[in-house]
Amino acid sequence: MALAAAQVADRVAAILVAAATAASSRVFTSRTWPLAEAELPALRVYVDAEQIEPETIDYPYLQKHSAAVRVQGSVQASADIDDAMHNLAEQVLSALFGTQANAQLQPLTNVYMTASEIDRAVIDGPADVGQITVGLAVQFRTFSNNPSTLV
């Protein structure tokens, strides 16, 4: 089984695939997954950073994880690249914070948006390619002797 943080990224990715965003099934859980222009729009979901703190004093320790999850959308458009990026970000947020996502996010707690930023917009050939990143803060818990099981 994967570490709990990897499971968080997988869970977010599964929600986005099921939501039928413009990226469709092109949702990858790796920040380095190579993307060709023919694969756009697409999403990358990954944990950028994680802080862990004990919540109990007895072994095994109950640990609270606070993770920064990034959903990076890549789009291509021949006009209005900003609109294309913002539309994809809106679809991501609707999928993650809609009523159906609540049950799928359990046992994650305190999932909220922390940022939305345009990483770059590149004019490349007849169409622009742009990236927008939605930052999420996610909290979850594990036991110190079982880092791959969410509790």
Side-chain angles (χ1 to χ4, degrees):
M1 185 175 283
L3 282 175
Q7 292 177 52
V8 169
D10 290 341
R11 194 170 293 205
V12 169
I15 291 169
L16 294 172
V17 169
T21 66
S24 186
S25 64
R26 295 176 304 279
V27 180
F28 307 102
T29 55
S30 171
R31 74 187 79 217
T32 59
W33 188 271
L35 295 173
E37 286 183 27
E39 295 177 298
L40 302 181
L43 296 168
R44 290 184 176 113
V45 179
Y46 56 91
V47 175
D48 195 34
E50 179 181 11
Q51 295 181 351
I52 304 168
E53 58 186 78
E55 289 195 322
T56 60
I57 58 172
D58 298 325
Y59 184 82
Y61 309 110
L62 179 63
Q63 300 178 127
K64 180 175 80 173
H65 300 247
S66 298
V69 176
R70 302 288 179 250
V71 180
Q72 184 182 66
S74 298
V75 298
Q76 183 177 27
S78 57
D80 299 323
I81 189 70
D82 286 334
D83 289 346
M85 288 187 286
H86 293 143
N87 288 339
L88 184 58
E90 188 272 331
Q91 292 170 8
V92 165
L93 293 171
S94 293
L96 293 176
F97 295 105
T99 54
Q100 292 181 340
N102 288 338
Q104 293 172 302
L105 286 172
Q106 298 301 322
L108 308 179
T109 59
N110 296 329
V111 179
Y112 55 92
M113 182 178 165
T114 59
S116 175
E117 56 192 59
I118 294 176
D119 292 330
R120 68 178 187 236
V122 180
I123 298 173
D124 187 20
D128 292 343
V129 175
Q131 289 184 331
I132 188 164
T133 301
V134 174
L136 304 171
V138 180
Q139 291 183 343
F140 55 95
R141 288 168 175 74
T142 63
F143 282 105
S144 58
N145 64 343
N146 194 352
S148 61
T149 301
L150 294 162
V151 294

